[in-house]
Amino acid sequence: MRIPTFLPRFRGRSHDPRTVTVVGRLLGLALLVCFLTGVLSHVLQEPPTWAAGRLPTRPVSGYRVTQGLHAISGIAAVPLLLVKLWTVYPRLFSWPPVRSVAHALERGSLAVLVAATLLELFMGLLNTAQWYLWPFSFRQVHWSLAWVITGALLVHLAVKAPLIAAHWRRTPPGTAEPAADGVERRSLLLGLAAAVGAVTVVSAGQSVTPLEGLLLLAPRDPGTGPQGLPVNRTAAAAGITADDLREWRLRVAGPEPYELTLAELRAMPQHRVELPIACVEGWSKSAHWEGVRVKDLLARAGARDGAALRIVSLQRHGGYGVSEMDRAYTRDGLTLLALRLNGAVLSPDHGYPARIIAPNRPGVLQTKWVTRLEVMA
Ligand SMILES: Nc1nc2c(c(=O)[nH]1)N[C@H]1C(S)=C(S)[C@@H](COP(=O)(O)O)O[C@H]1N2
Ligand SMILES: [Mo]
């Protein structure tokens, strides 16, 4: 194997297999957490048929915690990946590029792994900044890439298994190194730890309330927004007009359909819950909500206990105007059609006159400006 002459010749401890294994292990852990929390988010956002009725509504903050971890592990993976690449990169250009069929497959999967992981983390990062520059659906591509990475990573781990096995342990047998030799690696790992710590601490405040004061790397501050809660899409951006609101009625379609004015809705039994809004873009915030139980509204429409629901918003522009709610949520006493937030009537940007709030539900599905509930067959 030859390394092209324009690339550095790495010899030190920072580039030996031990270092690469240590960094790889940490990167693997970050990617694993990111993958598992991502799969969970996907299942909650688009439940497969086998999951119908079984979606967990507890713990109520489950989505908040797991998606906070998703963003945190994804952000931490950026310095880890960059350092991992730095420790080995001249070898990625070794010559001749292909020596055998097996070698070609190995190199090919590695190229896919590196490219897909860089793209995945970059896309995710831009998403936390609410920056959707792609013409394609973020979610579909993010999801597909996750599986491409998983496949390529398994191939990579299989190929490197002997090397990893030899260097996995804290002090691989028979390789006790002179203390002086370890210094270079230790300083690299310390620098890496500092970088990971720094990016985590300045971004975790999006979901970890005690770290809010340290937010630097986050486009939204969970502490700002009307009624103490951030807003992604304002009423103006959604095209909600004064006329829409003046003539507002809640329409419930089901075996016994009915309509309610806001005054009639306010006259129904009101319930108070404390539940977070947790956006997959990385921020989350808990709040006090007050409103009518969705299960009471459905019972009034003659729906059987545990019917699924389609929720339709007044919204004219953009996505998330319609959501479907699994029966696990409609049966849950904490699921509200909320009329009030943190002690006051919902502000227009928070979905006045009525919005959905349900436990352990992805933020994108907490539909605002609700105008119609349809019991699904
Ligand atoms: N009708 C409607 N409901 C919506 C949205 C929307 O754009 N339109 N945004 C969703 C998203 S992505 C989140 S995270 C929560 C909170 O977002 P907000 O900041 O737009 O209120 O509301 C959800 N409800
Ligand atoms: Mo969101």
Side-chain angles (χ1 to χ4, degrees), residues 250-266:
L250 177 71
R251 297 190 167 81
V252 184
E256 298 152 35
Y258 62 89
E259 276 187 29
L260 294 176
T261 63
L262 187 52
E264 287 167 330
L265 206 52
R266 284 177 179 152

Side-chain angles (χ1 to χ4, degrees), residues 46-201:
E46 266 178 57
T49 26
W50 57 260
R54 299 205 201 119
L55 295 182
T57 61
R58 299 291 182 280
V60 298
S61 294
Y63 196 78
R64 179 179 196 194
V65 172
T66 58
Q67 301 317 298
L69 268 177
H70 187 72
I72 289 170
S73 55
I75 289 173
V78 173
L80 288 168
L81 176 63
L82 295 179
V83 168
K84 177 81 160 57
L85 286 174
W86 178 75
T87 56
V88 295
Y89 80 91
R91 275 191 257 153
L92 298 177
F93 301 94
S94 64
W95 205 260
V98 169
R99 278 175 280 145
S100 63
V101 174
H103 186 235
L105 288 176
E106 182 201 330
R107 308 272 325 232
S109 69
L110 191 59
V112 169
L113 178 60
V114 172
T117 310
L118 282 170
L119 183 59
E120 185 79 330
L121 292 178
F122 183 63
M123 277 181 85
L125 212 54
L126 289 195
N127 183 259
T128 65
Q130 267 202 315
W131 206 14
Y132 297 90
L133 351 122
W134 350 88
F136 46 78
S137 149
F138 168 83
R139 222 175 57 205
Q140 267 170 25
V141 176
H142 204 61
W143 172 244
S144 312
L145 276 177
W147 289 100
V148 170
I149 293 168
T150 305
L153 186 57
L154 290 177
V155 172
H156 182 60
L157 289 177
V159 168
K160 300 292 183 192
L163 209 62
I164 296 170
H167 295 276
W168 180 263
R169 297 215 279 133
R170 191 160 267 282
T171 357
T175 60
E177 56 193 359
D181 268 13
V183 167
E184 190 184 332
R185 176 188 305 130
R186 257 197 307 279
S187 49
L188 173 78
L189 293 179
L190 271 177
L192 177 57
V196 169
V199 294
T200 303
V201 157

Side-chain angles (χ1 to χ4, degrees), residues 232 279-281 363-364:
N232 271 353
C279 181
V280 73
E281 284 163 3
V364 291

Side-chain angles (χ1 to χ4, degrees), residues 336-361:
L336 300 186
L337 183 67
L339 307 176
R340 298 170 66 83
L341 160 61
N342 289 337
V345 170
L346 279 176
S347 75
D349 290 344
H350 282 308
Y352 176 86
R355 85 170 300 166
I356 289 293
I357 186 78
N360 195 27
R361 191 163 207 244

